[in-house]
Amino acid sequence: MFPAIANRKRFSDLSEQEIIALAISSEEDDARIYRQYAEHLRTDFPDSAKIFDGMAEEEDGHREALISLHKRRFGDVIPLIRREHVAGYYTRNPVWLIGNLGLERIREEAHAMEQGAEAFYRKAAERTQDADTRALLGRLAAAEAGHDRRAGELEDEHLTDETRSEEEKTAHRQFVLTWVQPGLAGLMDGSVSTLAPIFATAFATQDTHTTFLVGLAASVGAGISMGFTEAASDDGELSGRGSPMKRGIASGVMTTLGGLGHALPYLIPHFWTATFIAMAVVFIELWSIAWIQKRYMNTPFMRAAFQVVFGGALVFAAGVLIGGG
């Protein structure tokens, strides 16, 4: 058994003083989390940041009420107990794991936080015998349950239809710049640049195993190269393209997948069967790239199709001619 788990106290073993102390520390943590969300959103989503500022202020009010209750019942010295000290207590995802995610993901996390806090207060109210304590914990449970309503009120106060539309456009633009654009570049590079070496090897050797190994090496090598190039080319600070790590992952993974798409059929030992399947995969890949360009990059479909499909066809033909020769 892990010591960190074995040393946790069960919620049923906590005294009423420890339950109140746990609630105080949890409210303080939640207020900090909301303020960090607000700070993270303030540049691109200033109106949504105000919503989280308001939620942090409400958590401060809850904490003050709990501290006053503790002073009346147990004095000024509050025991040090936090959520990680209690087995089965609802947890919070570290801010650094979700702080870089989109606006909607942060809102979903805040909703989950309020649901967990409500469940805690209802369970804590059942444990206490003091009428004042039970009443306060019940009010806090109701307040946490009503935070969705309060968040809606804050949204109505700070988010007009115009600002909401602007924030949605900003979020979409950030998604495109951070994930779609580098991923699309990687998919195009992996799908097109590996055509020549894979099909040249295929028609030169007519050995499916050798062709697969060449395709695997070309795909993985291109993925690593594209990933590091994308991550190192722009730190995102001035361009606003987001985390270089995310962009590098998107580019590297999609480059590798683009090449593997028409390399994997050569796991089939029959050469012509594998080749025809690989050709079909290439056809699907190239038209999919054209669709993604139209969907996310607003490129006219016929122009995107001509650029990608015609370019891919030329590279494919070069590989076949070189390998066949």
Side-chain angles (χ1 to χ4, degrees), residues 128-152:
T128 183
Q129 302 300 317
D130 181 75
D132 290 340
T133 303
R134 182 187 291 270
L136 175 60
L137 294 176
R139 288 196 301 273
L140 291 177
E144 299 293 350
H147 264 190
D148 282 339
R149 175 182 54 79
R150 175 57 178 156

Side-chain angles (χ1 to χ4, degrees), residues 127-203:
R127 289 280 321 281
T128 183
Q129 302 300 317
D130 181 75
D132 290 340
T133 303
R134 182 187 291 270
L136 175 60
L137 294 176
R139 288 196 301 273
L140 291 177
E144 299 293 350
H147 264 190
D148 282 339
R149 175 182 54 79
R150 175 57 178 156
E153 293 173 354
L154 290 170
E155 287 187 11
D156 292 339
E157 179 182 346
H158 296 294
L159 294 183
T160 63
D161 290 340
E162 183 179 354
T163 56
R164 190 187 298 273
S165 176
E166 287 299 319
E167 288 194 349
E168 289 175 354
K169 289 179 181 178
T170 301
H172 177 73
R173 177 178 177 274
Q174 193 64 56
F175 171 74
V176 170
L177 290 176
T178 303
W179 293 107
V180 177
Q181 191 179 70
L184 180 61
L187 184 60
M188 292 176 64
D189 184 84
S191 298
V192 176
S193 68
T194 57
L195 286 175
I198 290 176
F199 285 101
T201 303
F203 281 89

Side-chain angles (χ1 to χ4, degrees), residues 125-316:
E126 295 172 359
R127 289 280 321 281
T128 183
Q129 302 300 317
D130 181 75
D132 290 340
T133 303
R134 182 187 291 270
L136 175 60
L137 294 176
R139 288 196 301 273
L140 291 177
E144 299 293 350
H147 264 190
D148 282 339
R149 175 182 54 79
R150 175 57 178 156
E153 293 173 354
L154 290 170
E155 287 187 11
D156 292 339
E157 179 182 346
H158 296 294
L159 294 183
T160 63
D161 290 340
E162 183 179 354
T163 56
R164 190 187 298 273
S165 176
E166 287 299 319
E167 288 194 349
E168 289 175 354
K169 289 179 181 178
T170 301
H172 177 73
R173 177 178 177 274
Q174 193 64 56
F175 171 74
V176 170
L177 290 176
T178 303
W179 293 107
V180 177
Q181 191 179 70
L184 180 61
L187 184 60
M188 292 176 64
D189 184 84
S191 298
V192 176
S193 68
T194 57
L195 286 175
I198 290 176
F199 285 101
T201 303
F203 281 89
T205 66
Q206 296 199 5
D207 183 336
T208 58
H209 180 67
T210 300
T211 303
F212 170 72
L213 292 180
V214 170
L216 179 63
S219 302
V220 173
I224 294 172
S225 175
M226 284 288 289
F228 275 99
T229 299
E230 178 62 40
S233 65
D234 178 11
D235 62 8
E237 292 294 330
L238 295 179
S239 66
R241 297 178 65 216
S243 165
M245 181 66 70
K246 290 181 180 180
R247 299 195 328 270
I249 291 173
S251 180
V253 169
M254 294 308 294
T255 301
T256 302
L257 292 178
L260 285 178
H262 42 270
L264 288 174
Y266 284 99
L267 288 171
I268 300 172
H270 188 272
F271 172 74
W272 285 110
T273 300
T275 298
F276 283 127
I277 293 176
M279 289 178 179
V281 171
V282 171
F283 179 83
I284 295 171
E285 286 175 344
L286 296 180
W287 283 100
S288 297
I289 291 171
W291 180 85
I292 294 172
Q293 283 188 315
K294 178 183 182 302
R295 171 68 176 80
Y296 290 101
M297 311 302 292
N298 295 321
T299 304
F301 183 74
M302 294 309 298
R303 190 175 78 184
F306 177 79
Q307 292 173 341
V308 176
V309 177
F310 181 69
L314 288 178
V315 176
F316 170 78

Side-chain angles (χ1 to χ4, degrees), residues 24-71:
I24 291 170
S25 65
S26 297
E27 292 289 354
E28 182 177 357
D29 289 345
D30 288 354
R32 288 178 176 177
I33 290 173
Y34 287 140
R35 286 193 170 91
Q36 285 184 274
Y37 287 166
E39 192 61 29
H40 171 71
L41 297 170
R42 205 173 306 282
T43 300
D44 294 327
F45 309 101
D47 294 292
S48 287
K50 294 177 183 177
I51 295 173
F52 286 102
D53 284 332
M55 294 176 72
E57 290 176 3
E58 290 210 359
E59 300 301 317
D60 288 339
H62 296 173
R63 180 171 58 87
E64 292 301 324
L66 288 163
I67 291 175
S68 298
L69 173 66
H70 187 280
K71 287 182 177 180

